[in-house]
Structures are given as C-alpha cells and as structure tokens.
Amino acid sequence: MEKINNSIFENFNLETTINIGLKEGKYKIHTQFIIDTLGNVTDIKVRAPHPTLKKEVTEMLQKLPQFIPGKQRNKRVKTRYSLPIAFVVE
C-alpha cells in the first residue's frame, strides 16, 4: 500500500487540477482496478469530477509497477483493488 501511495504522489500532476477550473474545496477520485494473475494492472475504472482528471489518473494507474499477484489455496488469482484519491483545491 505504501508503494502505491508513493507512486501516486510522485506521478499525480497537481497542475492538472489548477488548469481545469475546479472551484476551491475537497475532491475525491474513486478508482478500481484488477491485479491479474501475472501481477499486471488491468480493468481500470475511474470516477472523477472532471474528464481531464479521469484521463490523468488512468494514465497514472497504467504506470504502476508490476505487483506480486494474490494467492488463494496456493494458486495465483485476480485481485480487485479500490483506491480513493483525495485532494484539496485552494
């Protein structure tokens, strides 16, 4: 989880939030993706307050490093992951 948060912090372009004209306040971006049996991020879904943010976050999630896939009964399985991203525009 810490590595995911660091990757998002490093790759999220905060300038995007300024240039699209969002009003001051708190915003939340809801993301969901699957880590497949090979550890790749697939099936990315994003809900954001602006289409530009949706595109930015989708590209950012595609850049996440490969993961160690989940295991169940000693077999690799797909794992669904939800990740909320909160930010404040001042």
Side-chain angles (χ1 to χ4, degrees):
M1 183 65 185
E2 186 177 327
K3 288 183 181 182
I4 293 174
N5 288 337
N6 288 341
S7 180
I8 289 171
F9 185 72
E10 291 172 6
N11 294 318
F12 187 67
N13 184 1
L14 289 174
E15 295 296 319
T16 306
T17 61
I18 296 168
N19 298 333
I20 60 175
L22 289 177
K23 295 179 183 178
E24 290 184 9
K26 293 181 184 180
Y27 292 92
K28 202 169 205 181
I29 300 171
H30 300 277
T31 68
Q32 189 178 73
F33 55 90
I34 291 177
I35 300 171
D36 67 10
T37 57
L38 299 175
N40 300 314
V41 176
T42 61
D43 195 27
I44 298 171
K45 296 178 184 173
V46 179
R47 283 190 309 160
H50 194 278
T52 304
L53 285 175
K54 182 176 180 177
K55 181 181 174 192
E56 176 75 22
V57 171
T58 301
E59 289 173 1
M60 179 186 61
L61 290 174
Q62 290 171 340
K63 292 178 185 177
L64 286 174
Q66 191 168 13
F67 290 89
I68 297 171
K71 284 190 175 183
Q72 185 174 18
R73 294 186 202 116
N74 224 13
K75 282 188 168 185
R76 292 180 178 190
V77 294
K78 293 180 182 179
T79 306
R80 185 172 305 276
Y81 198 89
S82 296
L83 179 69
I85 301 170
F87 63 97
V88 177
V89 175
E90 296 178 345

